[in-house]
Amino acid sequence: MSAVSFEESLNDLRLSFRNSPEPSYKVSNYFYAYVELFGHLRGKECTFVETGVLNGGSLFMWRQWLGPQARIIGIDMNPGAAKWRDHGFDIIIGDQGDPQFWQEAFGEIGPFDAFLDDGGHQSFQQIVTAQEAIRHAQKKCVVVIEDTCTSFMREFERHRNRSFLEFSKAATDVLVANTSHFFEGQFPAIDNPQSLEEFKQVCSIQFYSGIVAFKIDPAVAEKPELLWNKEPQQNAEDFRYHGTTSATVVWPNPFIVEKVTVRGGRE
Ligand SMILES: C[S@@+](CC[C@H](N)C(=O)[O-])C[C@H]1O[C@@H](n2cnc3c(N)ncnc32)[C@H](O)[C@@H]1O
């Protein structure tokens, strides 16, 4: 496929959605994220996995937009989804909340380029799905969980404060903690090295409205190093403690107005 602009790709995707021969429903601002996250796969041989088939509409949308070379795999717990095999889609039937299921499913899927979860949307399902997809990633790829709105919704509140969004925000700490060896004695002790291991191939975690994307690249699995391009002859003075020593801000919490003072400076 010749290079198309972001806007063209976005228009094509909206058209593929509207023209899908089967019903599908998506939140309108997801299309922007899809183009950012999956646009590079258009016209290429790739493996695209979506958990959540329902009426099959999104399977046709992905095929129309990505192109005929794409292997589109749909996953659903409803055995009725198997009928879409007759239309050239790979369909795997199973329960995304069960890690054992993923063991077998990823054996069948093999290396994948993109994984999108639009399944049951309960936090534990989203967490197990993200963890298993990240564990089974074998090459540069992206693992995307959508409908993170359920982290706040009453219908899904049995997760209490262990929502998928809280899991994802905590995972961003792991990305930073893998640099703790640069700063001896500065970080809390890493008592859970397993968490660093789990996310070591994740190079970024991107938050969109209703979507979290984990970008994976095995090349980043190396422990990061602190690099000078060249040693300075004489280090300039760093003025970080010469300025104001605090800021009062409204914390970005949509549910509570919270004005807080964030202190800085040094003793
Ligand atoms: C939101 S719909 C999918 C919509 C579809 N992707 C679209 O855009 O048209 C959710 C689907 O997830 C499936 N699902 C729910 N819980 C599941 C689970 N535990 N494992 C696998 N699939 C599940 C449901 O059967 C349903 O078909």
Side-chain angles (χ1 to χ4, degrees):
M1 175 176 297
S2 60
V4 293
S5 70
F6 186 91
E7 284 67 30
E8 284 172 300
S9 202
L10 186 58
N11 279 339
D12 291 348
L13 180 57
R14 289 187 178 130
L15 262 180
S16 304
F17 174 68
R18 280 202 291 274
N19 293 340
S20 173
E22 302 296 335
S24 169
Y25 65 102
K26 295 281 186 191
V27 178
S28 61
N29 57 359
Y30 290 0
F31 295 107
Y32 178 94
Y34 293 155
V35 176
E36 277 207 349
L37 297 166
F38 308 138
H40 64 289
L41 299 174
R42 294 187 75 198
K44 307 242 169 73
E45 260 185 42
C46 63
T47 297
F48 184 95
V49 188
E50 184 175 31
T51 303
V53 171
L54 198 63
N55 299 303
S58 55
L59 296 178
F60 287 91
M61 172 183 79
W62 296 124
R63 184 156 71 195
Q64 171 69 33
W65 185 62
L66 291 171
Q69 302 93 322
R71 176 186 174 210
I72 311 279
I73 304 175
I75 295 177
D76 209 289
M77 211 171 148
N78 180 351
K83 70 178 182 184
W84 300 112
R85 287 180 188 139
D86 297 345
H87 295 261
F89 300 107
D90 287 6
I91 301 293
I92 304 175
I93 302 298
D95 178 2
Q96 71 174 132
D98 174 6
Q100 198 54 44
F101 160 68
W102 288 117
Q103 201 58 31
E104 289 159 30
F106 280 113
E108 206 174 320
I109 294 166
F112 58 88
D113 299 279
F115 182 104
L116 173 64
D117 173 46
D118 182 22
H121 305 315
Q122 297 184 62
S123 279
F124 82 93
Q125 294 170 328
Q126 293 172 323
I127 292 168
V128 166
T129 301
Q131 271 184 328
E132 292 298 327
I134 291 167
R135 278 176 196 153
H136 287 90
Q138 295 178 41
K139 60 176 185 172
K140 204 168 171 174
C141 62
V142 62
V143 172
V144 179
I145 307 291
E146 80 178 30
D147 290 337
T148 58
C149 50
T150 59
S151 284
F152 295 114
M153 288 167 60
R154 291 212 175 86
E155 183 190 337
F156 295 86
E157 70 190 1
R158 290 189 58 161
H159 54 235
R160 294 175 178 268
N161 60 351
R162 300 296 185 176
S163 70
F164 173 73
L165 272 180
E166 289 306 326
F167 172 87
S168 305
K169 292 178 218 171
T172 65
D173 290 349
V174 178
L175 298 199
V176 180
N178 76 355
T179 63
S180 67
H181 56 287
F182 302 157
F183 309 105
E184 231 187 304
Q186 294 280 328
F187 272 59
I190 304 289
D191 283 341
N192 181 17
Q194 175 67 24
S195 66
L196 297 191
E197 190 59 27
E198 288 270 331
F199 287 90
K200 74 176 183 192
Q201 297 198 98
V202 176
C203 51
S204 76
I205 302 176
Q206 292 175 226
F207 290 76
Y208 297 86
S209 170
I211 287 180
V212 174
F214 300 85
K215 284 201 163 171
I216 293 164
D217 186 347
V220 302
E222 298 290 311
K223 227 178 183 183
E225 302 166 51
L226 196 54
L227 303 172
W228 273 112
N229 62 339
K230 51 175 80 74
E231 289 285 345
Q233 297 294 320
Q234 196 186 357
N235 229 353
E237 187 185 351
D238 182 333
F239 268 51
R240 76 179 66 167
Y241 295 116
H242 288 236
T244 43
T245 58
S246 70
T248 299
V249 297
V250 177
W251 207 245
N253 180 342
F255 308 112
I256 305 169
V257 181
E258 216 184 347
K259 204 168 181 185
V260 299
T261 298
V262 182
R263 296 192 191 289
R266 134 171 107 172
E267 293 305 307

